Amino acid sequence: MRLAARMQRVPVAGIYLAGPSPYEGCTVASFAAGADERACDEALLRAICRHVCDSGQPVIIEDVRAHPLTAGEAAGLPGPVAVAAVPLQTTDGRVPGMLYVADCRPRAWSADELAELEDLAALGVTGLELHAVSAEHAELIERERRRAERMQQLAATLARVAACSEWESALRELLIGAIALLDGDYGVVQMFGPNPGERSLMLRVERDGTVVEREIASPFPAGSFAAAIQAGSPAMLVDDFWTLDPEQYSLREKLQQQGVRSAVIAPIEAGGQRIGSLHVNHHLPGFYGPAELSLAETLAAQAGAAIERARLTTARRQAEAAREQLQEFMALVSHELRNPLAVLLGYVQLLRRPEPLLKPEGRLRALDALDDAARRMRRLLDDLSDAARIGAGHFAIRPVRMDLVAAARRVVEHEQRAGPGPRVVLTAPERLEGEWDRERLEQLLVNLVRNARKYSPPESTVNVVIERYGEAARIHVVDQGIGIAREAIPRLFQPFTRFATTHYVYGMGLGLYICKAIVDTHGGRICVESTIGRGSTFIVELPVCNASCVGRSA
Ligand code: ADP
């Protein structure tokens, strides 16, 4: 533009391109010698440009203030007053704008000067076209590069999903891949259950792969996109959640709180059936377009078969594990019953002996042993029926007003008398009353004290400490026994959990499972602190309920 200004001996020159409407346009190159106010006014240029583009002819204005085309726009404006503009005509005959020069005093342009300006315009067009072509070319190359990169990412994600033998990890891989591919904030998969409106699994995964939400076997929230996909809707592109009808999409509020604005949602299919939906969300409105939607569709559709395969493998494994567990359980039960049964049969044989061979003390010992064996069998059967009740969700308590300390005293005395083993010492206030199920609370104490004795050396002491702790009663059962490994603690309160000991200790791994159910139904909590080789402390906290309780702290 500097060259144009110098050749035409004017202070101002520029290229102005028309916009899509008569009220738009822009200067793409300009030169103004000296002060800024010499630059031409936008409105003025727009008016001249419109005329040049419409007519395809040059426009020469000796004084903008007097010319009919510009008088309205130029009144009182500082800057150039004479303008010469020629059309920029592209090789395909279009006129996208003009080349103009302007002077700060009124002047005319000779035919030679105009011809020179037209030559300069032709040069300008070539430059502009070259620029546009190279920009288009660079854009094309960039688009291809991104496409290839996305295809590579897609293939890598599908390979990772296919390599998973676990259903959940396959879904997680799918989400991680989809979020990376679509540059999403987070992703969700919903796997459909057998009935409409049901989902068997929902996973929400963040960009870094962490699972932040997981739900199994739950209904879809009302007005959810997943329900629509399950009902057969095609893949969906949500431009802006905030513009959706809140009546129809009740989830809008939740998404709004999470800062989500746009999303792509695609069905996951396997064997011609819809098995789930894939959702990738973004915080910017309009972030996704049809290209991203079709990418999500491809990914979800192709991952479907791999996910279904992983789901079947997981189901088979679970069935095998359940079968193994059942076998183990049956072996455990028969083993635990066989022991007292052997004692029973043995002593019955003994008692059959004629009078002179069995002395009265021997007869008494045999009866004690029979009694003990029968009680053990009854306890096993009671534990089994309790466990069945807990499993079926039918475990209930009947709270009455009672004294915890009196119950603990009874249990401690009874367990102490039960046989050789660690001493049991009770430290407690005189009374601690609350509303609890008497029988269940005694069962809880028996289980904890019996375990403490079972897993401790005979010469050690088991301490039972009861205290009032605010609105709760606290029971500590402290032993100096074998202890429990830190990694075993999370499984401790699950049914049929038993850890190897150096010698046989009877039990079916149900005691602590039942203890936890008793504590939970009372609204309390149970936990354990333990060190291998040093001993364990089981701590139970039970709310005492109501103001009528009269416990005293130790
Ligand atoms: P069990 O009837 O087999 O003892 P529990 O449910 O009462 O079943 O206990 C489960 C397992 O927890 C036991 O097999 C044992 O390995 C461990 N355990 C429980 N209490 C203690 C304790 N006080 N010290 C060490 N290990 C314990």
Side-chain angles (χ1 to χ4, degrees), residues 192-233:
F192 304 152
N195 301 311
E198 243 179 44
R199 61 182 172 193
S200 54
L201 180 64
M202 184 279 283
L203 276 190
R204 182 183 149 184
V205 167
E206 292 289 304
R207 269 181 94 100
D208 64 359
T210 34
V211 176
V212 284
E213 238 182 299
R214 179 181 181 276
E215 266 183 42
I216 50 168
S218 53
F220 289 127
S224 73
F225 286 97
I229 293 274
Q230 190 188 31
S233 152

Side-chain angles (χ1 to χ4, degrees), residues 130 358 487 551:
L130 274 177
L358 193 65
E487 59 277 11

Side-chain angles (χ1 to χ4, degrees), residues 451 454-455 479 484 492 497-499 507-509 511-512 536 538:
N451 272 352
K454 269 192 326 192
Y455 300 106
D479 67 48
I484 302 161
L492 204 58
T497 299
R498 303 214 70 211
F499 302 111
M508 280 197 299
L512 289 178
S536 312
F538 282 82

Side-chain angles (χ1 to χ4, degrees), residues 112-128:
D112 281 352
E113 281 174 324
L114 198 61
E116 186 183 83
L117 203 57
E118 276 171 340
D119 287 346
L120 283 169
L123 261 179
V125 166
T126 313
L128 273 181

